[in-house]
Amino acid sequence: MSAPGIVPPPGARDGQLMRGQSLPVRLGNFVKLPHTVFAMPFSLVGVLFASAVAPVTAAMVWWVIVAFTSARFAAMAFNRLVDRDVDALNPRTAMRELPAGTLTLTQARVSIVVASALFVYAAWRLNPLCFALSPVALLWVLGYSYTKRFTRWSHLWLGLGLSIAPVGGYLAVTGQWSDPWWLLCVLALAVVCWSGGFDMIYALQDAEFDSRHGLHSVPSTLGVVKAIRIARTLHVLAVACFAGVMAAHPLGITPGFVTAVLWIAVAGIALMLIWEHRLVKANDLSRVDAAFFTMNGIISLGFLTVIFAARVLVGVRR
C-alpha cells in the first residue's frame, strides 16, 4: 500500500510499539499507549497543586487517571481513523493497525465511542464542573485530527489539548479555578509550549511526505531548519512558564528548602530540553526517537516525582 518513491529520512520510524498480536496489544499500539507517559504525569501534578487548597481522595486520583486515559485513547484512535488513508501512503506509518488491516474500522469506531463515553462518565464522577467541561475538552482533542489539513500550527493545537491534563487534574479536586487565577493559565501554557515543541521535532520525520501530500506542519511548510529553531524557542518559553508556575507558589507558602526543591524541577526540565535539542540535527534525524520519547518521558515523570517529593515535604513540615 506504500506509494513508490516515498522515502523517509534516515532514522525515521514509528517507534514505541508493544510486542504481541492480542486484541489488547493491538489496541494499545493503535493509540501508542506508551505515549501516555507524556501528559498523564501533568494531570497528577495538577492534583498535587490542588491538594494544597483542598483534600484529595483515592477515588479522585482514580477518576482523574481514568478520565485522562480514556480521553487520550479516544483522541488517538480518532486520529488514526481520520488519517488511515494518509498513513497507508507513508512508509513510516503504513504498518499501523488500520492500513495494515490488523484492526477493523468497526473495532476502531467502537473503541472511540466507548473511550469517549468513559471519559464523560469519569468527569461526571469527579464534579459538576468537570462534567460540564468534558464535551468541550473531548471536541478539542478529537478536532486535532483535522488540523493538518488547514494549519501548520497543528502542533500547538495538540499542545493545548495536552494542557487540559494539569488543568483538569486541578479542577477535579477543587471544582474551581486557581488562586492566583493565572497559575493554571501559566501551567497550561508551559505544557502547550513544551508539547508543541516536541511534536514539532517528531514531525521532522515526515516533512517531505507532508509537503508532497498537502499536509500542513511547521517542518513541511517552513523547512526542517526553521522548525528546529521554532521548537527551541517554544522550549525556552516552556521553561519560562514553568518558572512562572513556581513563582505563583503552587503548594502555598513553603519553607526555603521546599521552594528550592520546586526550582530544581524547573532546572531539570531546562537541562533535559537542552539535551533533547543536542540529539536532533537538521541533517540527521536518527535520534529523533530518543529526543521525542525518552527525553520527554524523563521530563514528565521527573517533574511529577519532584513535585510529589515537595508536596510530601510540605506535609511533613506542617
Side-chain angles (χ1 to χ4, degrees), residues 180-197:
W181 64 267
W182 50 269
L183 169 61
L184 287 182
C185 296
V186 177
L187 179 59
L189 184 58
V191 175
V192 170
C193 293
W194 166 64
S195 54

Side-chain angles (χ1 to χ4, degrees), residues 72-244:
R72 186 193 171 279
F73 188 107
M76 284 295 295
F78 189 70
N79 180 256
R80 296 293 189 253
L81 183 67
V82 170
D83 281 353
R84 63 188 184 278
D85 295 335
V86 174
D87 285 344
L89 297 174
N90 188 338
R92 188 178 67 81
T93 60
M95 292 310 296
R96 284 177 176 171
E97 287 67 28
L98 290 181
T102 56
L103 279 180
T104 67
L105 291 178
T106 298
Q107 288 172 322
R109 288 167 178 153
V110 169
S111 71
I112 293 167
V113 171
V114 171
S116 298
L118 183 57
F119 168 65
V120 174
Y121 176 71
W124 175 74
R125 290 298 302 263
L126 285 165
N127 57 54
L129 178 60
C130 289
F131 180 57
L133 292 175
S134 61
V136 178
L138 191 59
L139 285 174
W140 185 270
V141 297
L142 294 180
Y144 161 73
S145 297
Y146 294 104
T147 54
K148 290 184 72 174
R149 272 73 173 173
F150 63 86
T151 176
R152 71 185 65 165
W153 300 108
S154 57
H155 319 283
L156 298 184
W157 187 296
L158 174 66
L160 191 55
L162 294 181
S163 76
I164 294 172
V167 175
Y170 189 97
L171 296 180
V173 174
T174 65
Q176 60 185 15
W177 201 254
S178 63
D179 182 19
W181 64 267
W182 50 269
L183 169 61
L184 287 182
C185 296
V186 177
L187 179 59
L189 184 58
V191 175
V192 170
C193 293
W194 166 64
S195 54
F198 75 63
D199 186 64
M200 210 170 287
I201 290 173
Y202 192 67
L204 295 173
Q205 302 176 99
D206 295 326
E208 184 179 352
F209 176 85
D210 289 347
S211 180
R212 289 185 186 181
H213 290 80
L215 298 174
H216 302 284
S217 71
V218 169
S220 69
T221 55
L222 298 182
V224 170
V225 173
K226 287 185 178 179
I228 291 174
R229 290 174 183 168
I230 294 173
R232 288 174 180 170
T233 301
L234 285 172
H235 284 160
V236 169
L237 292 173
V239 172
C241 289
F242 281 120

